[in-house]
Amino acid sequence: MDVIADSLRVSQRTHLFNWLQGEFQYLIGHEVMICGVKSSENDTYAYEYFTSTRYFNDVQFNEAIKQDTGLVSQAIDLWKNKISPVFITNQLKPADYKNYSIFNFCETELKNSEMKSLAAHGFGDHNNQISTFVIFGRLHKDPNATNAKILELMMPHLHCALIRVTSNKTNTLHGPSKDSKKITVRESEILQWVHMGKTNWEISSILDISPLTVKNHVQNILRKLDVQNRGQAAVKAAKLGLVKILN
């Protein structure tokens, strides 16, 4: 499968985003992906999200990864009991099949999360603990046995891709920071494109968000980096290791 071969070339965050938005969409159509990689030092997870919709942003992400109460924690708990793909949707009745399960969550919670429906799966380490975990949200189709099989087949490749991405210090996944001066996940993504010389319009097309949204993010980036323009931001971001220097 070309999509599996392509996964072997994923080593940077931008590679992962392009892969997820490319042929992978034919396997699991989605608009949001949240992934977590377990820290080698403790039991916490470093989370990241990738999205092609303007409806899901840092606000929804921070809520989703709240410890114990967030959608991610709830999905992980469900997966630990099943060790098979978990689907969360209110469009189908709850069911426990041989290779996957369907659960219903509070309609308000799903609506506020902007995830609508979820597909979740994990990958264990040698200690039988979850090493990586992924959630696909805003699914294009109702979940079924085929989706579950694809998730099981793709999870080892997703796991390896995530490990390669996180092994690169300039692409390390991270959770929300309490320090308002730090660059957010979305700002980091936009900063990378700014560093590559893309205009606001080009970035908006790449990320499928409005040019005004990009402009607002750029202004926040300039303020947080304490610089006057995009050129200065690109130079400072490179010095601080906030962007990947591409050859």
Side-chain angles (χ1 to χ4, degrees):
M1 294 176 66
D2 290 339
V3 69
I4 292 179
D6 289 342
S7 74
L8 299 177
R9 292 188 283 270
V10 172
S11 61
Q12 301 172 16
R13 189 180 188 282
T14 51
H15 294 166
L16 182 59
F17 179 80
N18 292 335
W19 179 59
L20 291 171
Q21 294 304 309
E23 292 184 346
F24 191 86
Q25 287 288 336
Y26 292 102
L27 300 179
I28 305 175
H30 67 284
E31 295 179 22
V32 179
M33 174 188 170
I34 297 177
C35 53
V37 177
K38 192 173 185 179
S39 170
S40 59
E41 300 176 354
N42 50 52
D43 289 333
T44 62
Y45 288 87
Y47 291 109
E48 176 70 285
Y49 76 92
F50 300 81
T51 179
S52 60
T53 176
R54 66 180 185 275
Y55 298 110
F56 188 91
N57 53 43
D58 291 342
V59 174
Q60 286 77 29
F61 172 64
N62 290 340
E63 286 294 320
I65 65 172
K66 277 187 175 179
Q67 189 173 358
D68 299 326
T69 61
L71 279 176
V72 174
S73 292
Q74 295 181 62
I76 288 177
D77 287 341
L78 292 174
W79 187 86
K80 284 180 177 178
N81 291 327
K82 300 295 180 180
I83 315 297
S84 61
V86 169
F87 297 99
I88 300 171
T89 176
N90 285 336
Q91 302 303 311
L92 300 172
K93 293 182 179 180
D96 188 4
Y97 298 102
K98 182 179 180 180
N99 297 321
Y100 70 101
S101 303
I102 296 176
F103 296 89
N104 289 165
F105 274 18
C106 171
E107 184 175 354
T108 301
E109 183 177 19
L110 287 179
K111 182 178 180 181
N112 291 340
S113 74
E114 291 292 352
M115 298 282 277
K116 293 188 176 180
S117 57
L118 320 174
H121 200 23
F123 190 89
D125 59 20
H126 63 282
N127 293 319
N128 202 31
Q129 299 293 317
I130 299 177
S131 179
T132 55
F133 197 78
V134 297
I135 289 181
F136 296 99
R138 298 178 75 92
L139 300 175
H140 295 172
K141 298 180 179 179
D142 288 337
N144 53 45
T146 299
N147 296 145
K149 187 63 177 178
I150 289 173
L151 265 178
E152 288 191 312
L153 290 173
M154 292 305 301
M155 192 61 216
H157 303 284
L158 276 168
H159 166 77
C160 291
L162 289 172
I163 295 301
R164 286 197 298 273
V165 169
T166 56
S167 67
N168 186 326
K169 292 182 179 180
T170 60
N171 287 281
T172 300
L173 306 190
H174 51 82
S177 172
K178 295 181 180 179
D179 184 353
S180 62
K181 291 296 183 180
K182 289 188 177 181
I183 302 298
T184 67
V185 173
R186 175 59 94 183
E187 289 167 354
S188 177
E189 189 171 28
I190 290 175
L191 185 55
Q192 180 68 53
W193 290 114
V194 169
H195 183 265
M196 294 171 67
K198 300 296 184 181
T199 65
N200 287 357
W201 184 87
E202 289 174 324
I203 296 173
S204 71
S205 297
I206 293 169
L207 301 181
D208 194 22
I209 57 179
S210 73
L212 180 59
T213 298
V214 175
K215 180 180 178 180
N216 290 336
H217 281 304
V218 170
Q219 291 301 314
N220 287 334
I221 291 170
L222 298 183
R223 175 177 54 81
K224 291 180 178 181
L225 294 181
D226 193 23
V227 294
Q228 299 300 315
N229 55 54
R230 299 163 73 94
Q232 292 177 359
V235 172
K236 189 167 185 178
K239 290 181 178 179
L240 295 175
L242 298 176
V243 293
K244 175 67 176 179
I245 308 300
L246 303 178
N247 297 323

